Structures are given as structure tokens and as C-alpha cells.
Amino acid sequence: MRRKVIAGNWKMNKLPNETIDFIQKLEPLVKETGNEIILCVPYTDLFYALMTAQNTNIKIGAQNMHFEEKGAYTGEVSGEMLKSIGVEYVIIGHSERRAYFLETNEIVNKKIKAALKYDLKPIVCVGESLEQRESGKTNEIITEQIQYALKDITSEQLKSIIVAYEPIWAIGTGKTATAEDAENAIKAIRSKLLEMYGQQTSQGVIIQYGGSLKSTNAKEIFSMPNIDGGLVGGASLDVEEFSKIATI
Ligand code: 13P
């Protein structure tokens, strides 16, 4: 049985004082859950989040990192830097990074390798645009993204990786994929992993759904056999709402 993993992606939201307050309020609401809970916060909140989440079941992640270790990359943060302060997870290849910061599949692959080098656990995002969905290319696009993202990644390394299926048209739009559509896309991802890594390894990979998740729609989506929780954007900014989703 795979565990359920619920991760919040705060994107570019919340200041340190809001971060401390949020985690202090979240802690009693989620302490009994068997789900794994992760908050992916802005770089400037990471240290405060890590301090506040100590001795709780809330894990902390970053939303991006550079693939190089160090050097003349103004404004960038490396995997080693994240690891050095105790960060455990890092989102890689979010569609907003792919769209606004021109991250290619090749860059995503480099970042995953760099994250693994420093024992960070990547949450790797894939997803199709509305145009791609409407032209019937969903499975082709997401399996291609998986293939490139995981190039040269071993079965052993795959155990530290979470995949998040986030259809771009569902992100921040209020349009959620139906539970069936999300399940079908995630099944296609798992079949690709089966082809690449075999039955046992592919069955063990946590694959989340993300895109306009709310406490009102998450239960049905999380009940699908191949969906192992979610990556939550907007709804993760409200502590009550996030706690409801995290404890389903
Ligand atoms: P929303 O939940 O706001 O649609 O965002 C999803 C997302 O991008 C999480 O990474």
C-alpha cells in the first residue's frame, strides 16, 4: 500500500511571520493523520518553516533549485544550500517554472539529478496544456515529460522521487480534472514507469494530482486507486482548508 502525500505549494506567498503562524495553527490539526504532509514555501520562509515544524509531522520543501552546485549564477540557490539548512523536499519542473522561466525537460532532468545528489526528494511536476488535451495528446505529452525527466535515474533513486500530475489548464483556474480523467492520466504515467522500471518499482511510486484541489473535491480524487494524494496551490494558503485536505 502506498502512503498518501499531501503537499502545499505556496508559490510566491507568505512572509516569515505568516509562515510561523500557519505552521503553529496547522500542527494540532494534522498531528493524528497517517498522511505525509509537506509545505513547499518560498526560500525566504524556509528557515522559519523548518524551525517551527521541528518535532512535528510537517515536512518542509523548496519550490525550485539550480542544478549547479555553486558559482556565478546570480539569484540562484543550489541543492547543497537547501540541504544544509535541513530542507527535505524540492519541487522540480512546475509548469509555472517551465512557462515563465523557460525550464526544459533537459533542465528538469539536471535539477532532479542535482537534488538527488544532496539527498533532497524531488517532487517532479508534469502536465499538459488545454490545447494539448483538446487535441488528444495528454498521455503522449506527460509520458514524454516523464521519460525526459527521469533520464539516467536508477530504480533506487526513483524511490526518493514523487511525481505530481498537474494539468496546466486546471492550475489556479477553478477547473479540476474529473477523478476519472486524473486517474487515467496518472495510470498512463504509472504504465510509463512500468515500461522504464518494471512492475515492483512502478507500483511503489507516489503520484499526486494537482490543479484546483479543494476540501470539497479532494476526497473523490484521492480515492482513485492510482492517485496518492495531491499538490495543493491556492487552497494550501488557508490553514483550515489545507488541514481538511491533508487529513482526508
Ligand atoms: P492550484 O491548487 O492553485 O490550482 O495550484 C496547483 C499547483 O500549481 C500546485 O503546484
mmCIF file of all heavy atoms in Angstrom, residues 121-149:
data_model
loop_
_atom_site.group_PDB
_atom_site.id
_atom_site.type_symbol
_atom_site.label_atom_id
_atom_site.label_comp_id
_atom_site.label_asym_id
_atom_site.label_seq_id
_atom_site.Cartn_x
_atom_site.Cartn_y
_atom_site.Cartn_z
ATOM 1 N N LYS A 121 14.491 15.223 -1.807
ATOM 2 C CA LYS A 121 13.499 14.399 -2.507
ATOM 3 C C LYS A 121 12.731 15.278 -3.495
ATOM 4 O O LYS A 121 11.988 16.175 -3.074
ATOM 5 C CB LYS A 121 12.541 13.773 -1.492
ATOM 6 C CG LYS A 121 13.266 12.835 -0.538
ATOM 7 C CD LYS A 121 12.320 12.337 0.532
ATOM 8 C CE LYS A 121 13.084 11.610 1.628
ATOM 9 N NZ LYS A 121 12.363 11.607 2.892
ATOM 10 N N PRO A 122 12.895 15.027 -4.780
ATOM 11 C CA PRO A 122 12.214 15.859 -5.772
ATOM 12 C C PRO A 122 10.728 15.527 -5.894
ATOM 13 O O PRO A 122 10.346 14.360 -5.865
ATOM 14 C CB PRO A 122 12.923 15.521 -7.097
ATOM 15 C CG PRO A 122 14.135 14.724 -6.726
ATOM 16 C CD PRO A 122 13.836 14.073 -5.415
ATOM 17 N N ILE A 123 9.921 16.567 -6.013
ATOM 18 C CA ILE A 123 8.512 16.413 -6.406
ATOM 19 C C ILE A 123 8.467 16.901 -7.848
ATOM 20 O O ILE A 123 8.548 18.104 -8.110
ATOM 21 C CB ILE A 123 7.573 17.247 -5.507
ATOM 22 C CG1 ILE A 123 7.737 16.833 -4.038
ATOM 23 C CG2 ILE A 123 6.119 17.101 -5.965
ATOM 24 C CD1 ILE A 123 6.933 17.705 -3.055
ATOM 25 N N VAL A 124 8.400 15.973 -8.770
ATOM 26 C CA VAL A 124 8.565 16.288 -10.190
ATOM 27 C C VAL A 124 7.200 16.494 -10.843
ATOM 28 O O VAL A 124 6.355 15.599 -10.816
ATOM 29 C CB VAL A 124 9.306 15.138 -10.902
ATOM 30 C CG1 VAL A 124 9.463 15.450 -12.387
ATOM 31 C CG2 VAL A 124 10.657 14.876 -10.250
ATOM 32 N N CYS A 125 7.004 17.691 -11.410
ATOM 33 C CA CYS A 125 5.686 18.020 -11.979
ATOM 34 C C CYS A 125 5.649 17.795 -13.486
ATOM 35 O O CYS A 125 6.584 18.173 -14.204
ATOM 36 C CB CYS A 125 5.361 19.486 -11.718
ATOM 37 S SG CYS A 125 5.344 19.916 -9.983
ATOM 38 N N VAL A 126 4.568 17.205 -13.936
ATOM 39 C CA VAL A 126 4.293 17.063 -15.365
ATOM 40 C C VAL A 126 2.833 17.435 -15.605
ATOM 41 O O VAL A 126 2.018 17.399 -14.676
ATOM 42 C CB VAL A 126 4.551 15.619 -15.875
ATOM 43 C CG1 VAL A 126 6.007 15.223 -15.682
ATOM 44 C CG2 VAL A 126 3.634 14.602 -15.182
ATOM 45 N N GLY A 127 2.512 17.785 -16.844
ATOM 46 C CA GLY A 127 1.110 18.111 -17.133
ATOM 47 C C GLY A 127 0.971 18.710 -18.516
ATOM 48 O O GLY A 127 1.919 19.310 -19.038
ATOM 49 N N GLU A 128 -0.206 18.564 -19.077
ATOM 50 C CA GLU A 128 -0.459 19.017 -20.445
ATOM 51 C C GLU A 128 -1.217 20.344 -20.445
ATOM 52 O O GLU A 128 -1.926 20.670 -19.481
ATOM 53 C CB GLU A 128 -1.236 17.947 -21.229
ATOM 54 C CG GLU A 128 -2.745 17.931 -21.028
ATOM 55 C CD GLU A 128 -3.186 17.394 -19.676
ATOM 56 O OE1 GLU A 128 -2.340 17.019 -18.854
ATOM 57 O OE2 GLU A 128 -4.420 17.379 -19.424
ATOM 58 N N SER A 129 -1.096 21.097 -21.535
ATOM 59 C CA SER A 129 -1.867 22.342 -21.700
ATOM 60 C C SER A 129 -3.274 21.996 -22.193
ATOM 61 O O SER A 129 -3.534 20.859 -22.601
ATOM 62 C CB SER A 129 -1.174 23.255 -22.722
ATOM 63 O OG SER A 129 -1.241 22.651 -23.997
ATOM 64 N N LEU A 130 -4.140 23.009 -22.201
ATOM 65 C CA LEU A 130 -5.508 22.791 -22.679
ATOM 66 C C LEU A 130 -5.506 22.381 -24.160
ATOM 67 O O LEU A 130 -6.206 21.451 -24.572
ATOM 68 C CB LEU A 130 -6.327 24.073 -22.489
ATOM 69 C CG LEU A 130 -7.809 23.948 -22.821
ATOM 70 C CD1 LEU A 130 -8.472 22.881 -21.961
ATOM 71 C CD2 LEU A 130 -8.514 25.288 -22.619
ATOM 72 N N GLU A 131 -4.670 23.052 -24.918
ATOM 73 C CA GLU A 131 -4.582 22.760 -26.349
ATOM 74 C C GLU A 131 -4.144 21.304 -26.577
ATOM 75 O O GLU A 131 -4.692 20.598 -27.423
ATOM 76 C CB GLU A 131 -3.569 23.719 -26.961
ATOM 77 C CG GLU A 131 -3.612 23.787 -28.451
ATOM 78 C CD GLU A 131 -2.407 24.559 -29.003
ATOM 79 O OE1 GLU A 131 -1.738 25.282 -28.235
ATOM 80 O OE2 GLU A 131 -2.153 24.415 -30.203
ATOM 81 N N GLN A 132 -3.149 20.889 -25.798
ATOM 82 C CA GLN A 132 -2.678 19.502 -25.930
ATOM 83 C C GLN A 132 -3.767 18.518 -25.524
ATOM 84 O O GLN A 132 -3.959 17.485 -26.164
ATOM 85 C CB GLN A 132 -1.413 19.300 -25.072
ATOM 86 C CG GLN A 132 -0.210 20.017 -25.654
ATOM 87 C CD GLN A 132 0.922 20.209 -24.653
ATOM 88 O OE1 GLN A 132 0.725 20.172 -23.433
ATOM 89 N NE2 GLN A 132 2.121 20.418 -25.166
ATOM 90 N N ARG A 133 -4.512 18.859 -24.467
ATOM 91 C CA ARG A 133 -5.604 17.967 -24.043
ATOM 92 C C ARG A 133 -6.662 17.877 -25.138
ATOM 93 O O ARG A 133 -7.107 16.791 -25.487
ATOM 94 C CB ARG A 133 -6.238 18.470 -22.737
ATOM 95 C CG ARG A 133 -7.594 17.829 -22.425
ATOM 96 C CD ARG A 133 -7.924 17.832 -20.963
ATOM 97 N NE ARG A 133 -7.056 16.961 -20.199
ATOM 98 C CZ ARG A 133 -7.397 15.776 -19.703
ATOM 99 N NH1 ARG A 133 -8.608 15.303 -19.894
ATOM 100 N NH2 ARG A 133 -6.553 15.073 -19.011
ATOM 101 N N GLU A 134 -7.021 19.052 -25.667
ATOM 102 C CA GLU A 134 -8.101 19.058 -26.661
ATOM 103 C C GLU A 134 -7.715 18.365 -27.959
ATOM 104 O O GLU A 134 -8.569 17.862 -28.681
ATOM 105 C CB GLU A 134 -8.592 20.498 -26.904
ATOM 106 C CG GLU A 134 -9.458 20.957 -25.732
ATOM 107 C CD GLU A 134 -9.888 22.406 -25.792
ATOM 108 O OE1 GLU A 134 -9.323 23.165 -26.603
ATOM 109 O OE2 GLU A 134 -10.781 22.773 -24.995
ATOM 110 N N SER A 135 -6.409 18.308 -28.218
ATOM 111 C CA SER A 135 -6.022 17.572 -29.428
ATOM 112 C C SER A 135 -5.661 16.114 -29.105
ATOM 113 O O SER A 135 -5.016 15.430 -29.907
ATOM 114 C CB SER A 135 -4.889 18.294 -30.164
ATOM 115 O OG SER A 135 -3.833 18.540 -29.284
ATOM 116 N N GLY A 136 -6.067 15.667 -27.931
ATOM 117 C CA GLY A 136 -5.935 14.236 -27.595
ATOM 118 C C GLY A 136 -4.512 13.799 -27.284
ATOM 119 O O GLY A 136 -4.176 12.620 -27.376
ATOM 120 N N LYS A 137 -3.650 14.783 -26.902
ATOM 121 C CA LYS A 137 -2.230 14.445 -26.731
ATOM 122 C C LYS A 137 -1.803 14.289 -25.272
ATOM 123 O O LYS A 137 -0.604 14.190 -24.977
ATOM 124 C CB LYS A 137 -1.377 15.552 -27.365
ATOM 125 C CG LYS A 137 -1.446 15.580 -28.877
ATOM 126 C CD LYS A 137 -0.189 16.235 -29.432
ATOM 127 C CE LYS A 137 -0.186 16.267 -30.941
ATOM 128 N NZ LYS A 137 -0.153 17.629 -31.479
ATOM 129 N N THR A 138 -2.758 14.291 -24.353
ATOM 130 C CA THR A 138 -2.406 14.278 -22.923
ATOM 131 C C THR A 138 -1.389 13.193 -22.574
ATOM 132 O O THR A 138 -0.311 13.485 -22.041
ATOM 133 C CB THR A 138 -3.686 14.087 -22.068
ATOM 134 O OG1 THR A 138 -4.535 15.193 -22.317
ATOM 135 C CG2 THR A 138 -3.359 14.038 -20.585
ATOM 136 N N ASN A 139 -1.710 11.961 -22.880
ATOM 137 C CA ASN A 139 -0.825 10.867 -22.458
ATOM 138 C C ASN A 139 0.541 10.932 -23.124
ATOM 139 O O ASN A 139 1.566 10.667 -22.492
ATOM 140 C CB ASN A 139 -1.490 9.512 -22.717
ATOM 141 C CG ASN A 139 -2.658 9.287 -21.768
ATOM 142 O OD1 ASN A 139 -2.961 10.151 -20.930
ATOM 143 N ND2 ASN A 139 -3.329 8.154 -21.894
ATOM 144 N N GLU A 140 0.527 11.337 -24.396
ATOM 145 C CA GLU A 140 1.792 11.453 -25.130
ATOM 146 C C GLU A 140 2.709 12.487 -24.459
ATOM 147 O O GLU A 140 3.892 12.246 -24.220
ATOM 148 C CB GLU A 140 1.458 11.888 -26.561
ATOM 149 C CG GLU A 140 2.604 11.952 -27.516
ATOM 150 C CD GLU A 140 2.153 12.593 -28.831
ATOM 151 O OE1 GLU A 140 0.997 12.357 -29.255
ATOM 152 O OE2 GLU A 140 2.945 13.349 -29.403
ATOM 153 N N ILE A 141 2.119 13.654 -24.127
ATOM 154 C CA ILE A 141 2.909 14.744 -23.538
ATOM 155 C C ILE A 141 3.436 14.357 -22.155
ATOM 156 O O ILE A 141 4.626 14.506 -21.857
ATOM 157 C CB ILE A 141 2.046 16.031 -23.416
ATOM 158 C CG1 ILE A 141 1.678 16.555 -24.801
ATOM 159 C CG2 ILE A 141 2.722 17.104 -22.565
ATOM 160 C CD1 ILE A 141 2.847 17.096 -25.620
ATOM 161 N N ILE A 142 2.570 13.823 -21.319
ATOM 162 C CA ILE A 142 3.021 13.566 -19.937
ATOM 163 C C ILE A 142 3.990 12.383 -19.867
ATOM 164 O O ILE A 142 4.920 12.407 -19.072
ATOM 165 C CB ILE A 142 1.841 13.412 -18.942
ATOM 166 C CG1 ILE A 142 0.919 12.271 -19.327
ATOM 167 C CG2 ILE A 142 1.078 14.718 -18.792
ATOM 168 C CD1 ILE A 142 -0.281 12.109 -18.385
ATOM 169 N N THR A 143 3.817 11.403 -20.737
ATOM 170 C CA THR A 143 4.775 10.279 -20.689
ATOM 171 C C THR A 143 6.119 10.716 -21.264
ATOM 172 O O THR A 143 7.169 10.272 -20.799
ATOM 173 C CB THR A 143 4.240 9.021 -21.410
ATOM 174 O OG1 THR A 143 3.863 9.364 -22.740
ATOM 175 C CG2 THR A 143 3.076 8.411 -20.677
ATOM 176 N N GLU A 144 6.076 11.638 -22.221
ATOM 177 C CA GLU A 144 7.339 12.173 -22.750
ATOM 178 C C GLU A 144 8.063 12.987 -21.667
ATOM 179 O O GLU A 144 9.273 12.876 -21.492
ATOM 180 C CB GLU A 144 7.031 13.053 -23.963
ATOM 181 C CG GLU A 144 8.249 13.508 -24.711
ATOM 182 C CD GLU A 144 7.843 14.386 -25.902
ATOM 183 O OE1 GLU A 144 7.513 13.820 -26.954
ATOM 184 O OE2 GLU A 144 7.855 15.625 -25.763
ATOM 185 N N GLN A 145 7.291 13.790 -20.934
ATOM 186 C CA GLN A 145 7.904 14.575 -19.845
ATOM 187 C C GLN A 145 8.548 13.642 -18.808
ATOM 188 O O GLN A 145 9.631 13.919 -18.300
ATOM 189 C CB GLN A 145 6.856 15.469 -19.175
ATOM 190 C CG GLN A 145 6.458 16.660 -20.041
ATOM 191 C CD GLN A 145 5.273 17.429 -19.462
ATOM 192 O OE1 GLN A 145 4.454 16.885 -18.726
ATOM 193 N NE2 GLN A 145 5.174 18.697 -19.814
ATOM 194 N N ILE A 146 7.851 12.542 -18.514
ATOM 195 C CA ILE A 146 8.390 11.568 -17.552
ATOM 196 C C ILE A 146 9.680 10.947 -18.091
ATOM 197 O O ILE A 146 10.694 10.849 -17.394
ATOM 198 C CB ILE A 146 7.335 10.458 -17.257
ATOM 199 C CG1 ILE A 146 6.201 11.016 -16.411
ATOM 200 C CG2 ILE A 146 7.954 9.225 -16.602
ATOM 201 C CD1 ILE A 146 6.565 11.339 -14.972
ATOM 202 N N GLN A 147 9.629 10.527 -19.335
ATOM 203 C CA GLN A 147 10.793 9.888 -19.952
ATOM 204 C C GLN A 147 12.029 10.788 -19.877
ATOM 205 O O GLN A 147 13.107 10.360 -19.472
ATOM 206 C CB GLN A 147 10.451 9.595 -21.407
ATOM 207 C CG GLN A 147 11.644 9.200 -22.240
ATOM 208 C CD GLN A 147 11.429 7.854 -22.896
ATOM 209 O OE1 GLN A 147 10.295 7.475 -23.211
ATOM 210 N NE2 GLN A 147 12.501 7.134 -23.089
ATOM 211 N N TYR A 148 11.860 12.081 -20.247
ATOM 212 C CA TYR A 148 12.991 13.009 -20.228
ATOM 213 C C TYR A 148 13.414 13.346 -18.801
ATOM 214 O O TYR A 148 14.595 13.407 -18.490
ATOM 215 C CB TYR A 148 12.641 14.300 -20.968
ATOM 216 C CG TYR A 148 12.751 14.186 -22.460
ATOM 217 C CD1 TYR A 148 11.624 14.210 -23.264
ATOM 218 C CD2 TYR A 148 13.994 14.058 -23.069
ATOM 219 C CE1 TYR A 148 11.715 14.111 -24.643
ATOM 220 C CE2 TYR A 148 14.106 13.955 -24.452
ATOM 221 C CZ TYR A 148 12.957 13.981 -25.230
ATOM 222 O OH TYR A 148 13.062 13.887 -26.587
ATOM 223 N N ALA A 149 12.440 13.589 -17.947
ATOM 224 C CA ALA A 149 12.767 13.996 -16.573
ATOM 225 C C ALA A 149 13.591 12.922 -15.868
ATOM 226 O O ALA A 149 14.501 13.225 -15.100
ATOM 227 C CB ALA A 149 11.479 14.265 -15.789
#
